[in-house]
Amino acid sequence: MAKTGQDREEAQAIAGRQALMVSMLAGVYWFDEALQARLAARGWSQVTRVQSMVLANLASGTHRAVQLARNLGVSRQSMSQTLAEMEERGLIEVAPDPGDRRARIVSFSAESSAIRDDALMILQALEAALAERIGAEAVAALRAAAAADWGAAPVEVAAAVAGAPLPPRKPRGRPPKPKA
């Protein structure tokens, strides 16, 4: 159903009141849902949103399993399960890191090249469709803003602005053994 001018104005008014993060997430979902639908139309089996985000992170150069988990905000255990499912489907390969035997390196599998090629073609078509909808200049501005150096993580920025000390980091790994 086509949107009327009034519908568009109402949508823009609502979007203007949303937090930027919500609008950015809506954009990610727009891309991911369209990508998933078009991949399915081309005969590919569906991947979950988390799997899709893992693939996007791999494409952007993140290859350590622990960093993938951090980027997606999931536990290492959850990431291990996701990676095992993806490896079983032939989308990725997981190997020990030769520089750190505790770490694992994730990469695209050779057999995933066809779906990667289709996904790249679809994403380029989606960007073109977005440019038709909101204008090429707006898409260029989005790309530039997303690629800009955003500086320190928001937790550090918020603490600095408030003049408060940084929150303690969550302990990682096993807790220390109690001293006898």
Side-chain angles (χ1 to χ4, degrees), residues 62-84:
T62 302
H63 294 281
R64 284 182 168 259
V66 69
Q67 189 59 48
L68 290 167
R70 273 191 211 118
N71 287 358
L72 274 62
V74 299
S75 68
R76 288 180 296 185
Q77 293 81 6
S78 177
M79 182 55 60
S80 291
Q81 180 179 351
T82 297
L83 296 176

Side-chain angles (χ1 to χ4, degrees), residues 40-51:
R42 294 182 64 82
W44 295 107
S45 59
Q46 187 171 0
V47 295
T48 66
R49 174 129 325 129
V50 170
Q51 291 171 343

Side-chain angles (χ1 to χ4, degrees), residues 87-128:
E87 190 171 29
E88 189 175 301
R89 291 182 59 187
L91 295 170
I92 61 165
E93 294 174 347
V94 181
D97 181 345
D100 180 354
R101 63 184 179 155
R102 297 168 300 163
R104 297 181 306 146
I105 300 295
V106 183
S107 58
F108 289 110
S109 68
E111 57 207 78
S112 70
S113 65
I115 190 171
R116 282 184 290 147
D117 290 346
D118 277 356
L120 180 58
M121 178 193 62
I122 291 166
L123 287 171
Q124 289 170 343
L126 289 172
E127 286 186 26

Side-chain angles (χ1 to χ4, degrees), residues 30-46:
W30 181 88
F31 270 103
D32 191 52
E33 288 166 12
L35 174 63
Q36 295 297 334
R38 290 188 180 182
L39 284 172
R42 294 182 64 82
W44 295 107
S45 59
Q46 187 171 0

Side-chain angles (χ1 to χ4, degrees), residues 16-41:
R17 293 188 302 263
Q18 286 181 340
L20 178 59
M21 183 178 119
V22 173
S23 297
M24 291 175 71
L25 280 172
V28 168
Y29 299 156
W30 181 88
F31 270 103
D32 191 52
E33 288 166 12
L35 174 63
Q36 295 297 334
R38 290 188 180 182
L39 284 172

